[in-house]
Amino acid sequence: MVNKQTRVIAGIDTHADTHHVAVINEYGKPLADREFLAVGSGYQKVVEFIAAFGTVVAVGVEGTGSYGAEIARTLRGEGIRVLEVNRPNRAERRLKGKSDPLDAYQAAQAVLDGRATAIPKAKDGPVECLRMLRAGRNSAMKARTAAINQIKGLLVSAPDRLRAKYRGLGTPALITALQRSRPTGHVADTEYVCLLTLKALATRCHSLSAEIDSADAAMKEILNSYAPMLCDLPGVGTEVASQLLVTVGDNPDRLGSEAQFAALVGVAPVPASSGKTTRHRLSRGGDRNANRALHQMVLVRMSSCQRTKDYVLKRTAEGKSKRETIRCLKRYAAREIYHQITNPQPAPNNADLRQLRTELGITITTAAHALGHWPSKISSLERGIIRNDDLATRYRQWLTDQVAQNTI
């Protein structure tokens, strides 16, 4: 008989073939632990095992991005709260030892102590499709680069007649020419074998290029339907947009604020002050692939966006270095990306609000102060970057009241 008054917490140590589950009560007392097969029937038995001890508060799962992905999906499907648990502290592990039951109990204890608070990615939507497409695309890119390097390496030591034939050709033209070549000769002939190998490598490059183009087209289609306005932001293309979405996951609501997103992508400013010097430095944490995507986005804006160029000149005049200016730009870019990711569908056109505010002679700072928001948020609302129907309604009503007061 299940006692519904008992609140329990579970921890799961995941492996390729088996998962070890441990259950503790809300006071940290161990109740039971058991090993289950990492298959469909085993996942259902895990749910039944945990629920048999009372009301399940939460379950801490190790490796929610790999071995624990399916058990995490199964638990969420049953309405159970799942939290991601990091690997146990090495010093603590050396003191207490290591085994599957111990790791499972430590995962449950981490949830109870409040050390495990991260909500894992859902991995069951279009963003997961983007992740898989990117994985295949990245490996194809690396293989194509390796094949091109091999082609150029072979040509360096190839017979002079062969080198002279392809000297001066750019990489695309070289690959096309080698693919269309028709080697003839004997397998003991150096020139023939060299050209035969070059043709095989060029054919591989062509095939990999087609694979990359196919992945790009598929990612573009997903982005157009899932986050149609994300690629409209300056400096954001398919590569940058897909990486940032993969970093966030299919459940962007797991991020409570744009500050958490900034920390996730490694652009949260870190204090680096001392004495009379007050400054911040770049964060070295977070997802470095997402940080690189933001860096590419900022570099594009610095070369093509007039608004960004003006900001760089302003910060340079204040004495900030180029690195510090880029840090600031990446932080602003993260804020803009976060609002777009959490509001993926096109926002209503609120250009009339900006026009009416300008006609009334009201500054954006005054409007933001009256509505209790930052000027940047009001500006994003006017430009249609973010979607906030409640704020737009309040803003419109406030401007209408200002018109009425000016009329009176």
Side-chain angles (χ1 to χ4, degrees), residues 5-66:
Q5 300 298 323
T6 304
R7 293 161 56 86
V8 299
I9 298 169
I12 303 180
D13 181 33
T14 59
H15 300 280
D17 300 320
T18 60
H19 295 336
H20 205 97
V21 183
V23 183
I24 63 176
N25 63 15
E26 57 184 330
Y27 304 108
K29 179 182 177 180
L31 299 179
D33 66 273
R34 188 179 300 176
E35 188 177 76
F36 298 89
L37 291 176
V39 295
S41 59
Y43 300 143
Q44 194 56 44
K45 290 179 181 178
V46 169
V47 175
E48 295 171 358
F49 173 72
I50 297 172
F53 293 92
T55 302
V56 182
V57 177
V59 178
V61 181
E62 288 187 9
T64 57
S66 54

Short mmCIF file of all heavy atoms in Angstrom, two decimals, residues 5-66:
data_model
loop_
_atom_site.label_atom_id
_atom_site.label_comp_id
_atom_site.label_asym_id
_atom_site.label_seq_id
_atom_site.Cartn_x
_atom_site.Cartn_y
_atom_site.Cartn_z
N GLN A 5 1.35 10.20 1.79
CA GLN A 5 1.88 11.26 2.64
C GLN A 5 3.41 11.30 2.61
O GLN A 5 4.01 12.32 2.92
CB GLN A 5 1.40 11.05 4.09
CG GLN A 5 -0.11 11.07 4.26
CD GLN A 5 -0.71 12.40 3.86
OE1 GLN A 5 -0.12 13.44 4.11
NE2 GLN A 5 -1.87 12.37 3.22
N THR A 6 4.03 10.19 2.23
CA THR A 6 5.48 10.12 2.18
C THR A 6 5.99 10.76 0.90
O THR A 6 5.56 10.41 -0.20
CB THR A 6 5.95 8.65 2.24
OG1 THR A 6 5.42 8.03 3.41
CG2 THR A 6 7.47 8.58 2.26
N ARG A 7 6.90 11.70 1.03
CA ARG A 7 7.50 12.38 -0.12
C ARG A 7 8.89 11.78 -0.34
O ARG A 7 9.72 11.74 0.58
CB ARG A 7 7.59 13.88 0.13
CG ARG A 7 6.22 14.55 0.21
CD ARG A 7 6.30 15.91 0.89
NE ARG A 7 7.24 16.81 0.26
CZ ARG A 7 6.95 17.59 -0.78
NH1 ARG A 7 5.71 17.56 -1.30
NH2 ARG A 7 7.85 18.40 -1.29
N VAL A 8 9.14 11.33 -1.55
CA VAL A 8 10.40 10.63 -1.84
C VAL A 8 11.12 11.33 -2.99
O VAL A 8 10.51 12.01 -3.82
CB VAL A 8 10.17 9.15 -2.18
CG1 VAL A 8 9.53 8.43 -1.00
CG2 VAL A 8 9.32 9.00 -3.43
N ILE A 9 12.42 11.10 -3.01
CA ILE A 9 13.29 11.62 -4.08
C ILE A 9 14.12 10.45 -4.58
O ILE A 9 14.61 9.64 -3.79
CB ILE A 9 14.20 12.74 -3.55
CG1 ILE A 9 13.36 13.92 -3.06
CG2 ILE A 9 15.18 13.19 -4.61
CD1 ILE A 9 14.13 14.95 -2.29
N ALA A 10 14.29 10.37 -5.88
CA ALA A 10 15.05 9.27 -6.48
C ALA A 10 16.28 9.80 -7.19
O ALA A 10 16.32 10.96 -7.63
CB ALA A 10 14.18 8.48 -7.45
N GLY A 11 17.27 8.94 -7.28
CA GLY A 11 18.48 9.24 -8.04
C GLY A 11 18.78 8.07 -8.96
O GLY A 11 18.58 6.91 -8.58
N ILE A 12 19.24 8.37 -10.17
CA ILE A 12 19.49 7.31 -11.15
C ILE A 12 20.90 7.44 -11.71
O ILE A 12 21.27 8.50 -12.24
CB ILE A 12 18.46 7.36 -12.31
CG1 ILE A 12 17.03 7.26 -11.76
CG2 ILE A 12 18.72 6.24 -13.30
CD1 ILE A 12 15.97 7.32 -12.83
N ASP A 13 21.68 6.37 -11.56
CA ASP A 13 23.01 6.29 -12.16
C ASP A 13 22.87 5.53 -13.46
O ASP A 13 22.54 4.34 -13.46
CB ASP A 13 23.96 5.57 -11.21
CG ASP A 13 25.37 5.47 -11.76
OD1 ASP A 13 25.78 6.40 -12.47
OD2 ASP A 13 26.05 4.47 -11.49
N THR A 14 23.07 6.19 -14.59
CA THR A 14 22.75 5.60 -15.89
C THR A 14 23.99 4.98 -16.54
O THR A 14 25.11 5.47 -16.40
CB THR A 14 22.17 6.67 -16.84
OG1 THR A 14 23.13 7.73 -17.00
CG2 THR A 14 20.89 7.24 -16.26
N HIS A 15 23.76 3.90 -17.27
CA HIS A 15 24.80 3.21 -18.04
C HIS A 15 24.18 2.76 -19.37
O HIS A 15 22.99 2.91 -19.60
CB HIS A 15 25.35 2.01 -17.28
CG HIS A 15 25.97 2.39 -15.96
ND1 HIS A 15 27.24 2.89 -15.84
CD2 HIS A 15 25.45 2.34 -14.70
CE1 HIS A 15 27.50 3.13 -14.57
NE2 HIS A 15 26.43 2.81 -13.85
N ALA A 16 25.01 2.21 -20.23
CA ALA A 16 24.54 1.81 -21.55
C ALA A 16 23.51 0.69 -21.47
O ALA A 16 22.50 0.71 -22.19
CB ALA A 16 25.72 1.36 -22.41
N ASP A 17 23.72 -0.32 -20.61
CA ASP A 17 22.85 -1.49 -20.56
C ASP A 17 21.93 -1.51 -19.35
O ASP A 17 20.87 -2.14 -19.39
CB ASP A 17 23.69 -2.77 -20.57
CG ASP A 17 24.56 -2.87 -21.81
OD1 ASP A 17 24.06 -2.52 -22.90
OD2 ASP A 17 25.72 -3.28 -21.70
N THR A 18 22.32 -0.86 -18.26
CA THR A 18 21.51 -0.89 -17.05
C THR A 18 21.48 0.50 -16.40
O THR A 18 22.36 1.33 -16.63
CB THR A 18 22.09 -1.88 -16.02
OG1 THR A 18 23.42 -1.49 -15.67
CG2 THR A 18 22.10 -3.30 -16.57
N HIS A 19 20.44 0.73 -15.60
CA HIS A 19 20.33 1.93 -14.78
C HIS A 19 20.14 1.50 -13.33
O HIS A 19 19.35 0.59 -13.06
CB HIS A 19 19.12 2.79 -15.20
CG HIS A 19 19.22 3.35 -16.58
ND1 HIS A 19 20.42 3.54 -17.23
CD2 HIS A 19 18.26 3.77 -17.45
CE1 HIS A 19 20.21 4.06 -18.42
NE2 HIS A 19 18.91 4.20 -18.58
N HIS A 20 20.86 2.15 -12.42
CA HIS A 20 20.69 1.85 -11.00
C HIS A 20 19.90 2.98 -10.36
O HIS A 20 20.25 4.15 -10.48
CB HIS A 20 22.03 1.68 -10.30
CG HIS A 20 21.94 0.83 -9.07
ND1 HIS A 20 22.24 -0.51 -9.05
CD2 HIS A 20 21.52 1.13 -7.81
CE1 HIS A 20 22.03 -1.00 -7.84
NE2 HIS A 20 21.59 -0.02 -7.06
N VAL A 21 18.81 2.61 -9.67
CA VAL A 21 17.88 3.57 -9.09
C VAL A 21 17.94 3.47 -7.57
O VAL A 21 17.90 2.36 -7.02
CB VAL A 21 16.44 3.32 -9.59
CG1 VAL A 21 15.50 4.38 -9.04
CG2 VAL A 21 16.40 3.30 -11.11
N ALA A 22 18.02 4.62 -6.91
CA ALA A 22 17.99 4.67 -5.44
C ALA A 22 16.91 5.66 -5.02
O ALA A 22 16.70 6.68 -5.68
CB ALA A 22 19.34 5.11 -4.90
N VAL A 23 16.23 5.36 -3.91
CA VAL A 23 15.14 6.19 -3.41
C VAL A 23 15.43 6.58 -1.97
O VAL A 23 15.83 5.74 -1.15
CB VAL A 23 13.79 5.45 -3.49
CG1 VAL A 23 12.65 6.36 -3.03
CG2 VAL A 23 13.52 4.95 -4.91
N ILE A 24 15.25 7.86 -1.66
CA ILE A 24 15.38 8.35 -0.29
C ILE A 24 14.12 9.15 0.06
O ILE A 24 13.39 9.59 -0.83
CB ILE A 24 16.63 9.26 -0.11
CG1 ILE A 24 16.51 10.51 -0.98
CG2 ILE A 24 17.89 8.49 -0.44
CD1 ILE A 24 17.64 11.51 -0.80
N ASN A 25 13.87 9.33 1.36
CA ASN A 25 12.71 10.14 1.74
C ASN A 25 13.14 11.61 1.85
O ASN A 25 14.30 11.95 1.62
CB ASN A 25 12.07 9.64 3.03
CG ASN A 25 13.02 9.73 4.23
OD1 ASN A 25 14.04 10.42 4.18
ND2 ASN A 25 12.68 9.03 5.30
N GLU A 26 12.21 12.47 2.21
CA GLU A 26 12.48 13.90 2.24
C GLU A 26 13.45 14.30 3.33
O GLU A 26 13.91 15.45 3.37
CB GLU A 26 11.17 14.68 2.41
CG GLU A 26 10.38 14.30 3.66
CD GLU A 26 9.05 15.03 3.71
OE1 GLU A 26 8.96 16.15 3.18
OE2 GLU A 26 8.09 14.46 4.27
N TYR A 27 13.78 13.38 4.24
CA TYR A 27 14.76 13.65 5.30
C TYR A 27 16.13 13.07 4.97
O TYR A 27 17.04 13.15 5.79
CB TYR A 27 14.25 13.10 6.63
CG TYR A 27 12.90 13.63 7.01
CD1 TYR A 27 11.77 12.82 6.95
CD2 TYR A 27 12.73 14.96 7.40
CE1 TYR A 27 10.51 13.31 7.28
CE2 TYR A 27 11.48 15.46 7.74
CZ TYR A 27 10.38 14.63 7.67
OH TYR A 27 9.13 15.12 7.99
N GLY A 28 16.27 12.45 3.81
CA GLY A 28 17.54 11.90 3.38
C GLY A 28 17.78 10.46 3.77
O GLY A 28 18.87 9.93 3.55
N LYS A 29 16.78 9.79 4.34
CA LYS A 29 16.95 8.39 4.75
C LYS A 29 16.85 7.47 3.53
O LYS A 29 15.87 7.52 2.79
CB LYS A 29 15.87 8.01 5.76
CG LYS A 29 15.97 6.56 6.21
CD LYS A 29 14.83 6.20 7.16
CE LYS A 29 14.89 4.72 7.55
NZ LYS A 29 13.80 4.35 8.47
N PRO A 30 17.86 6.61 3.31
CA PRO A 30 17.78 5.66 2.19
C PRO A 30 16.63 4.67 2.39
O PRO A 30 16.46 4.11 3.48
CB PRO A 30 19.13 4.95 2.24
CG PRO A 30 20.03 5.86 3.01
CD PRO A 30 19.15 6.53 4.02
N LEU A 31 15.85 4.47 1.33
CA LEU A 31 14.72 3.55 1.39
C LEU A 31 15.00 2.26 0.64
O LEU A 31 14.76 1.17 1.17
CB LEU A 31 13.46 4.23 0.83
CG LEU A 31 12.99 5.49 1.56
CD1 LEU A 31 11.75 6.06 0.89
CD2 LEU A 31 12.71 5.19 3.04
N ALA A 32 15.49 2.36 -0.58
CA ALA A 32 15.77 1.15 -1.36
C ALA A 32 16.54 1.53 -2.61
O ALA A 32 16.53 2.70 -3.04
CB ALA A 32 14.47 0.44 -1.73
N ASP A 33 17.20 0.54 -3.21
CA ASP A 33 17.86 0.75 -4.51
C ASP A 33 17.79 -0.55 -5.29
O ASP A 33 17.74 -1.65 -4.71
CB ASP A 33 19.31 1.21 -4.34
CG ASP A 33 20.19 0.15 -3.71
OD1 ASP A 33 20.25 0.08 -2.46
OD2 ASP A 33 20.80 -0.63 -4.47
N ARG A 34 17.76 -0.42 -6.62
CA ARG A 34 17.64 -1.60 -7.47
C ARG A 34 18.18 -1.27 -8.86
O ARG A 34 18.17 -0.11 -9.28
CB ARG A 34 16.18 -2.05 -7.57
CG ARG A 34 16.00 -3.39 -8.29
CD ARG A 34 14.53 -3.78 -8.32
NE ARG A 34 13.97 -3.94 -6.98
CZ ARG A 34 12.69 -4.19 -6.74
NH1 ARG A 34 11.84 -4.29 -7.74
NH2 ARG A 34 12.26 -4.32 -5.49
N GLU A 35 18.61 -2.31 -9.56
CA GLU A 35 19.13 -2.16 -10.91
C GLU A 35 18.07 -2.60 -11.92
O GLU A 35 17.37 -3.59 -11.71
CB GLU A 35 20.41 -3.00 -11.08
CG GLU A 35 21.12 -2.76 -12.40
CD GLU A 35 22.41 -3.54 -12.48
OE1 GLU A 35 22.34 -4.77 -12.72
OE2 GLU A 35 23.48 -2.93 -12.31
N PHE A 36 17.96 -1.85 -13.02
CA PHE A 36 16.98 -2.15 -14.07
C PHE A 36 17.67 -2.14 -15.43
O PHE A 36 18.67 -1.43 -15.63
CB PHE A 36 15.85 -1.11 -14.07
CG PHE A 36 15.04 -1.07 -12.82
CD1 PHE A 36 15.42 -0.25 -11.76
CD2 PHE A 36 13.91 -1.86 -12.67
CE1 PHE A 36 14.69 -0.21 -10.59
CE2 PHE A 36 13.17 -1.83 -11.51
CZ PHE A 36 13.55 -1.00 -10.46
N LEU A 37 17.12 -2.90 -16.36
CA LEU A 37 17.64 -2.91 -17.72
C LEU A 37 17.28 -1.60 -18.42
O LEU A 37 16.19 -1.06 -18.22
CB LEU A 37 17.07 -4.09 -18.51
CG LEU A 37 17.52 -5.49 -18.09
CD1 LEU A 37 16.77 -6.55 -18.90
CD2 LEU A 37 19.03 -5.65 -18.28
N ALA A 38 18.20 -1.11 -19.25
CA ALA A 38 17.97 0.15 -19.97
C ALA A 38 17.23 -0.14 -21.27
O ALA A 38 17.72 0.08 -22.38
CB ALA A 38 19.30 0.85 -20.24
N VAL A 39 16.00 -0.64 -21.14
CA VAL A 39 15.11 -0.92 -22.27
C VAL A 39 13.72 -0.39 -21.93
O VAL A 39 13.47 0.07 -20.81
CB VAL A 39 15.05 -2.44 -22.57
CG1 VAL A 39 16.40 -2.95 -23.03
CG2 VAL A 39 14.59 -3.21 -21.34
N GLY A 40 12.81 -0.44 -22.90
CA GLY A 40 11.48 0.11 -22.70
C GLY A 40 10.75 -0.44 -21.49
O GLY A 40 10.20 0.32 -20.68
N SER A 41 10.77 -1.76 -21.33
CA SER A 41 10.09 -2.35 -20.17
C SER A 41 10.78 -1.99 -18.87
O SER A 41 10.14 -1.81 -17.83
CB SER A 41 10.04 -3.88 -20.33
OG SER A 41 11.35 -4.42 -20.45
N GLY A 42 12.12 -1.84 -18.93
CA GLY A 42 12.87 -1.46 -17.74
C GLY A 42 12.54 -0.06 -17.29
O GLY A 42 12.45 0.22 -16.09
N TYR A 43 12.33 0.86 -18.24
CA TYR A 43 11.99 2.23 -17.88
C TYR A 43 10.65 2.29 -17.15
O TYR A 43 10.48 3.03 -16.18
CB TYR A 43 11.92 3.11 -19.14
CG TYR A 43 13.23 3.17 -19.90
CD1 TYR A 43 13.24 3.20 -21.30
CD2 TYR A 43 14.45 3.19 -19.24
CE1 TYR A 43 14.42 3.26 -22.00
CE2 TYR A 43 15.65 3.24 -19.94
CZ TYR A 43 15.62 3.27 -21.33
OH TYR A 43 16.81 3.31 -22.03
N GLN A 44 9.69 1.48 -17.62
CA GLN A 44 8.38 1.48 -16.95
C GLN A 44 8.48 0.89 -15.55
O GLN A 44 7.80 1.35 -14.62
CB GLN A 44 7.37 0.67 -17.79
CG GLN A 44 5.93 0.87 -17.40
CD GLN A 44 5.50 2.33 -17.44
OE1 GLN A 44 5.82 3.04 -18.39
NE2 GLN A 44 4.81 2.79 -16.41
N LYS A 45 9.35 -0.11 -15.39
CA LYS A 45 9.55 -0.69 -14.06
C LYS A 45 10.21 0.32 -13.12
O LYS A 45 9.93 0.32 -11.91
CB LYS A 45 10.40 -1.95 -14.17
CG LYS A 45 9.68 -3.12 -14.83
CD LYS A 45 10.60 -4.33 -14.93
CE LYS A 45 9.89 -5.49 -15.61
NZ LYS A 45 10.78 -6.67 -15.77
N VAL A 46 11.07 1.18 -13.66
CA VAL A 46 11.69 2.23 -12.84
C VAL A 46 10.61 3.16 -12.29
O VAL A 46 10.62 3.51 -11.10
CB VAL A 46 12.72 3.03 -13.68
CG1 VAL A 46 13.15 4.29 -12.92
CG2 VAL A 46 13.93 2.17 -14.00
N VAL A 47 9.68 3.56 -13.14
CA VAL A 47 8.59 4.45 -12.71
C VAL A 47 7.76 3.78 -11.62
O VAL A 47 7.44 4.40 -10.59
CB VAL A 47 7.70 4.83 -13.92
CG1 VAL A 47 6.49 5.65 -13.44
CG2 VAL A 47 8.49 5.61 -14.96
N GLU A 48 7.43 2.51 -11.81
CA GLU A 48 6.62 1.79 -10.82
C GLU A 48 7.39 1.62 -9.50
O GLU A 48 6.81 1.75 -8.42
CB GLU A 48 6.23 0.43 -11.38
CG GLU A 48 5.30 0.52 -12.59
CD GLU A 48 5.11 -0.83 -13.26
OE1 GLU A 48 5.73 -1.82 -12.79
OE2 GLU A 48 4.36 -0.91 -14.26
N PHE A 49 8.69 1.37 -9.60
CA PHE A 49 9.52 1.18 -8.41
C PHE A 49 9.57 2.45 -7.57
O PHE A 49 9.41 2.42 -6.35
CB PHE A 49 10.92 0.74 -8.83
CG PHE A 49 11.92 0.67 -7.71
CD1 PHE A 49 11.85 -0.35 -6.77
CD2 PHE A 49 12.93 1.62 -7.59
CE1 PHE A 49 12.77 -0.43 -5.73
CE2 PHE A 49 13.85 1.55 -6.56
CZ PHE A 49 13.77 0.52 -5.63
N ILE A 50 9.79 3.58 -8.23
CA ILE A 50 9.90 4.86 -7.51
C ILE A 50 8.56 5.23 -6.89
O ILE A 50 8.49 5.64 -5.72
CB ILE A 50 10.38 5.97 -8.47
CG1 ILE A 50 11.78 5.67 -8.98
CG2 ILE A 50 10.36 7.33 -7.77
CD1 ILE A 50 12.25 6.61 -10.07
N ALA A 51 7.49 5.07 -7.67
CA ALA A 51 6.16 5.49 -7.19
C ALA A 51 5.65 4.61 -6.05
O ALA A 51 4.73 5.01 -5.33
CB ALA A 51 5.17 5.47 -8.35
N ALA A 52 6.23 3.44 -5.87
CA ALA A 52 5.76 2.52 -4.83
C ALA A 52 6.08 3.01 -3.41
O ALA A 52 5.51 2.50 -2.45
CB ALA A 52 6.38 1.14 -5.04
N PHE A 53 6.95 4.01 -3.29
CA PHE A 53 7.36 4.47 -1.96
C PHE A 53 6.62 5.73 -1.51
O PHE A 53 6.79 6.17 -0.38
CB PHE A 53 8.87 4.72 -1.93
CG PHE A 53 9.68 3.47 -2.10
CD1 PHE A 53 10.09 3.05 -3.36
CD2 PHE A 53 10.01 2.68 -1.00
CE1 PHE A 53 10.84 1.89 -3.52
CE2 PHE A 53 10.75 1.52 -1.16
CZ PHE A 53 11.16 1.12 -2.42
N GLY A 54 5.86 6.33 -2.39
CA GLY A 54 5.11 7.53 -2.01
C GLY A 54 5.05 8.53 -3.14
O GLY A 54 5.24 8.19 -4.32
N THR A 55 4.79 9.78 -2.80
CA THR A 55 4.71 10.84 -3.79
C THR A 55 6.11 11.26 -4.21
O THR A 55 6.93 11.65 -3.37
CB THR A 55 3.97 12.06 -3.22
OG1 THR A 55 2.65 11.66 -2.80
CG2 THR A 55 3.84 13.16 -4.26
N VAL A 56 6.38 11.18 -5.50
CA VAL A 56 7.72 11.48 -6.02
C VAL A 56 7.85 12.99 -6.20
O VAL A 56 7.12 13.62 -6.97
CB VAL A 56 7.96 10.77 -7.37
CG1 VAL A 56 9.38 11.06 -7.86
CG2 VAL A 56 7.73 9.27 -7.23
N VAL A 57 8.79 13.58 -5.45
CA VAL A 57 9.04 15.03 -5.54
C VAL A 57 9.85 15.36 -6.77
O VAL A 57 9.51 16.26 -7.54
CB VAL A 57 9.76 15.52 -4.27
CG1 VAL A 57 10.09 17.01 -4.39
CG2 VAL A 57 8.93 15.26 -3.03
N ALA A 58 10.93 14.64 -6.99
CA ALA A 58 11.81 14.87 -8.13
C ALA A 58 12.73 13.67 -8.30
O ALA A 58 12.91 12.87 -7.37
CB ALA A 58 12.64 16.15 -7.95
N VAL A 59 13.32 13.56 -9.47
CA VAL A 59 14.27 12.49 -9.77
C VAL A 59 15.52 13.12 -10.35
O VAL A 59 15.46 13.88 -11.32
CB VAL A 59 13.69 11.47 -10.76
CG1 VAL A 59 14.73 10.40 -11.08
CG2 VAL A 59 12.43 10.84 -10.21
N GLY A 60 16.68 12.82 -9.75
CA GLY A 60 17.96 13.29 -10.28
C GLY A 60 18.56 12.23 -11.18
O GLY A 60 18.71 11.08 -10.78
N VAL A 61 18.87 12.61 -12.42
CA VAL A 61 19.37 11.66 -13.42
C VAL A 61 20.73 12.11 -13.91
O VAL A 61 20.92 13.27 -14.30
CB VAL A 61 18.39 11.55 -14.60
CG1 VAL A 61 18.90 10.53 -15.62
CG2 VAL A 61 17.00 11.16 -14.12
N GLU A 62 21.69 11.20 -13.89
CA GLU A 62 23.01 11.48 -14.46
C GLU A 62 22.97 11.21 -15.96
O GLU A 62 22.35 10.27 -16.42
CB GLU A 62 24.08 10.60 -13.82
CG GLU A 62 24.43 10.97 -12.39
CD GLU A 62 25.61 10.17 -11.87
OE1 GLU A 62 26.24 9.46 -12.69
OE2 GLU A 62 25.89 10.22 -10.67
N GLY A 63 23.66 12.05 -16.72
CA GLY A 63 23.79 11.81 -18.16
C GLY A 63 22.50 11.94 -18.93
O GLY A 63 22.19 11.07 -19.76
N THR A 64 21.75 13.01 -18.70
CA THR A 64 20.47 13.18 -19.42
C THR A 64 20.68 13.44 -20.91
O THR A 64 19.73 13.35 -21.69
CB THR A 64 19.67 14.34 -18.82
OG1 THR A 64 20.47 15.54 -18.86
CG2 THR A 64 19.28 14.05 -17.38
N GLY A 65 21.90 13.76 -21.30
CA GLY A 65 22.17 13.99 -22.72
C GLY A 65 22.67 12.76 -23.44
O GLY A 65 22.84 12.79 -24.66
N SER A 66 22.91 11.65 -22.71
CA SER A 66 23.42 10.44 -23.36
C SER A 66 22.65 9.22 -22.89
O SER A 66 21.53 8.96 -23.34
CB SER A 66 24.92 10.30 -23.07
OG SER A 66 25.16 10.34 -21.66
#
